Amino acid sequence: MYKTTLEYFEANDIEIHYHCRDGFCGACRCNLVEGDIEYVNGEPLAFIRDGEFLPCCSVPKSDIIVTTD
Ligand code: FES
């Protein structure tokens, strides 16, 4: 099983930019179009806008639809 949404993306050849893989840098931010996620170790430090999330430190709580632009 995957520990994070980012690991799931990688296992399925979905290309996502990342750097820290721990919620600090914000490089992996994506738009959460539909569905819910939760952060595995509490709220991340990286800045994210409304509607964005960080796949490197989150897991889906439902089916999700994501965009990367
Ligand atoms: S890779 Fe740094 S916040 Fe996700």
Side-chain angles (χ1 to χ4, degrees), residues 6 17-29 46 54 56:
L6 179 60
H17 296 290
Y18 64 87
H19 184 67
C20 72
R21 301 182 73 99
D22 205 22
F24 292 107
C25 71
C28 67
R29 77 169 57 86
L54 301 173
C56 71

Side-chain angles (χ1 to χ4, degrees), residues 4-53:
T4 64
T5 311
L6 179 60
E7 288 185 8
Y8 174 83
F9 289 160
E10 290 173 327
N12 289 279
D13 295 323
I14 299 168
E15 195 170 319
I16 300 287
H17 296 290
Y18 64 87
H19 184 67
C20 72
R21 301 182 73 99
D22 205 22
F24 292 107
C25 71
C28 67
R29 77 169 57 86
C30 295
N31 301 303
L32 183 61
V33 178
E34 195 172 305
D36 293 309
I37 60 96
E38 67 182 353
Y39 289 107
V40 292
N41 291 317
E43 288 297 309
L45 291 180
F47 173 77
I48 51 173
R49 292 177 280 263
D50 284 347
E52 294 180 334
F53 80 109

